[in-house]
Amino acid sequence: MSSLIAATRFSVLDRSRTREGKDGPEALRATVDLARELEGLGYHRFWVSEHHSVPGVAGSAPTVLAAAVAAATRTIRVGTGGVMLPNHQPMVVAEQFGVLESLFPGRIDMGLGRSVGFTDGIRRALGRDKKDADDFAGQLAELLGWFTGRQTAHPQVHARPAEGLRVPPYVLATGEGAAIAAAAGLPLVIGDLKGRAKVVAAIERYRADFRPSVWSQEPYVVVAGTVAVAETEEEAARLLMPEAWSLAYSRTQGVFPPLAPPERIEGLTMTDRQREFYESALRGHIHGTEEQVRDALEKAVKETAADEIMVTTSTYDRAALRDSYAGLARVAGLTGAHA
């Protein structure tokens, strides 16, 4: 095993993707089951996501789902990737994470993003607008102030039980959002492994501009992306097909659908535009045999100087997904990977 990979933490973000013929409740239960399995393999942390009114994603309430995951596990860190702060009042977010940290002390992460609802209708239903994402830095500062007791937006108001607790915050960012993480002195979660040059440039700026804070004295970089491991490169490539087609469909139809099995995707008649999006979505991910993935990961970690890799893989076949994570655990030399 590479010493570079051995020094890198490996974690997972699961988006509770739905499958054709299966419902949202089943997807949520599968997320909890997966967290238990990944804890046994030795992964460092397990995060869940926030999506609203998306047919292909069941996870709409990440702090609620994180509570279920934390209750079903014992040692793995649990968090959100992320709570989309512009969708919520910072005080309420602080209270939710305060409750989580109180119930599961020392295991909770607070991953925070700046996205708002996917469509105008969703944003209206959430009581938000596109411009609400423009003040993410201010919302972030207020949220952290509820924990330190130094927020000034609402004098004499306190977020209980958050005040005085230290729930590690992480900023989910594209290149531009990395500047917010650096200025706030917070760890950065950035993706993905496909657009390597852009990611590397953003990470370099983040490290150069990082200002130490009470939350983090040094820069910390988590690089997120898809990793698929199988017995052959061809089998690993098939794991990528359901998500690639879902993305292509959403880009041309405006709806992000449940994951379809590869054999159905192979029989589809795609428009030229769909085919272009589909083939683009298949390219650039780390996939292959354990040896191939080991070599690709070593290159990725060397280029990004990542402290941690957060794997975001989704596919139709849950058994194949579990096998992929087991193979990756062996590549990374995780505790429990050979049990």
Side-chain angles (χ1 to χ4, degrees), residues 194 237 240-241 243-249 251 265 270-285 287:
K194 289 180 65 175
L240 306 176
M241 291 171 60
E243 189 70 32
W245 168 243
S246 191
L247 177 63
Y249 189 89
R251 296 291 296 272
I265 296 170
M270 301 183 192
T271 66
D272 290 344
R273 193 158 177 259
Q274 286 176 334
R275 177 67 63 180
E276 180 182 352
F277 282 129
Y278 174 68
E279 292 180 352
S280 174
L282 286 172
R283 290 193 292 268
H285 301 296
H287 72 283

Side-chain angles (χ1 to χ4, degrees), residues 2-21:
S2 160
S3 60
L4 198 60
I5 293 177
T8 305
R9 287 170 167 167
F10 282 81
S11 301
V12 170
L13 165 64
D14 188 72
R15 288 179 292 147
S16 302
R17 293 288 273 113
T18 58
R19 273 72 173 168
E20 286 188 354

